[in-house]
Amino acid sequence: MLYNIHTEKDAQDTLKHITAIPFSVWERENAHFDEYEYCDDFLEATIKKYGKTLPRFNDIDFVISHITTSANACRGIKENGLTDLASVYRSPDSELRIFIEQHKIEIRLDRNYLKYGDRYFDISFDDRPDSSDTEAYNAWLVGRKFYYDFCVNGFLQIDPESTYLGCVHKRPEILKNIDDLLHLHLSEEWARSHSTYAVIAKVSGRNLVCDSEQPSSDGKVLSYLCRAYDAAYGGKSTIVTMLKDNIQVPAQDILQINPFPLWG
């Protein structure tokens, strides 16, 4: 069962399939929406009214858009699927690894250092430096990306007018961290030579970091259905989602890879 809210029609189909209630019925029930303070209360009451039950959160496949950049039309992703940052860097054939090494930068994740020229930088993700305006802090940020914030992420929905602040449509975020540490311009060079793509993939709910505070499976599903309900009526938001640590998306779960013209 797919959860897909990329377009208004996708969201309508998601609402229909997950609740087993036709969208025409939801349109009729929408007249009662104002009787409820919260969207999830309205959805839950309507589902009970028609005697339906919700699937388990872990049994739903979520469709995400992973925004990335590539100079070879995402050949590595087509062959290997979506892998996390550390795994991408450990692959000697990855675009990111080749690009970084071409600039005479060596990163040893097993030894927690980055070497540039004759200098070694400690990138171990230990205690955060006291000051954010130091070389040690910039090195810590490089380590943070590799050892802490390394998971695969994507978007459940994209608002064309709401650009993601990480600028993943221009370059990998880690290049900005390396630029700040070494005073280089790798980000600009990468952006000039690489194109932007949306990798559409499906991810099992059991592998997704659920951002709902609801403890029960039904509560989690209702939370995400509220987003589907909003999208089904034309609502647009840039909704970030993350996979759990060390979870990769195999190549067979890649649905499409398309040029991504949004966000400028």
Side-chain angles (χ1 to χ4, degrees):
M1 184 174 293
L2 287 180
Y3 176 98
N4 184 352
I5 60 172
H6 280 69
T7 69
E8 188 172 325
K9 180 61 167 58
D10 289 334
Q12 292 172 4
D13 289 342
T14 291
L15 194 64
K16 175 180 67 177
H17 293 314
I18 291 182
T19 65
I21 298 174
F23 187 67
S24 58
V25 175
W26 282 110
E27 290 185 298
R28 185 167 66 246
E29 292 295 330
N30 187 54
H32 303 293
F33 192 104
D34 290 341
E35 299 172 12
Y36 298 86
E37 186 174 359
Y38 298 106
C39 174
D40 54 351
D41 290 339
F42 163 69
L43 293 173
E44 185 176 28
T46 305
I47 291 166
K48 287 182 178 178
K49 176 180 177 179
Y50 288 93
K52 306 299 182 180
T53 58
L54 292 172
R56 289 178 50 81
F57 184 83
N58 286 351
D59 293 334
I60 298 173
D61 286 332
F62 291 80
V63 177
I64 68 169
S65 289
H66 176 81
I67 307 304
T68 190
T69 44
S70 173
N72 61 23
C74 300
R75 184 173 61 225
I77 293 174
K78 292 174 183 176
E79 295 174 353
N80 306 311
L82 286 171
T83 57
D84 61 48
L85 175 62
S87 298
V88 169
Y89 185 77
R90 288 190 181 102
S91 172
D93 298 325
S94 71
E95 289 188 79
L96 180 64
R97 175 67 172 267
I98 292 171
F99 181 83
I100 289 175
E101 290 187 341
Q102 284 176 341
H103 290 81
K104 311 304 180 185
I105 299 168
E106 177 188 357
I107 300 174
R108 288 292 301 268
L109 297 181
D110 57 335
R111 297 187 181 180
N112 305 324
Y113 74 72
L114 179 152
K115 181 176 182 291
Y116 181 60
D118 59 357
R119 292 200 60 193
Y120 288 80
F121 299 86
D122 179 5
I123 61 169
S124 55
F125 186 66
D126 294 324
D127 295 334
R128 175 174 173 167
D130 294 334
S131 175
S132 61
D133 188 27
T134 63
E135 183 178 272
Y137 178 75
N138 288 331
W140 179 83
L141 287 178
V142 172
R144 186 180 190 277
K145 291 300 295 183
F146 279 115
Y147 303 116
Y148 175 74
D149 185 21
F150 59 86
C151 66
V152 175
N153 59 27
F155 301 90
L156 292 174
Q157 187 185 43
I158 292 175
D159 179 358
E161 304 300 323
S162 180
T163 304
Y164 179 61
L165 294 179
C167 292
V168 291
H169 63 297
K170 293 183 177 180
R171 42 77 183 138
E173 290 179 285
I174 187 63
L175 292 183
K176 176 63 166 58
N177 299 119
I178 294 174
D179 282 343
D180 290 341
L181 173 63
L182 303 180
H183 307 290
L184 299 176
H185 301 281
L186 303 182
S187 297
E188 291 85 345
E189 183 178 337
W190 180 282
R192 287 193 299 269
S193 56
H194 292 67
S195 301
T196 311
Y197 295 89
V199 180
I200 314 299
K202 64 176 181 179
V203 178
S204 170
R206 66 176 58 88
N207 292 328
L208 204 69
V209 176
C210 179
D211 63 1
S212 170
E213 296 180 355
Q214 297 296 326
S216 68
S217 175
D218 277 4
K220 292 181 174 72
V221 175
L222 285 169
S223 177
Y224 280 77
L225 278 179
C226 284
R227 297 170 182 176
Y229 194 83
D230 180 63
Y233 284 92
K236 289 187 180 298
S237 300
T238 294
I239 304 174
V240 181
T241 191
M242 298 184 298
L243 275 63
K244 294 176 180 177
D245 287 351
N246 303 310
I247 295 295
Q248 324 295 343
V249 180
Q252 60 264 31
D253 288 340
I254 304 296
L255 305 178
Q256 300 177 43
I257 299 179
N258 304 315
F260 184 74
L262 305 179
W263 294 348

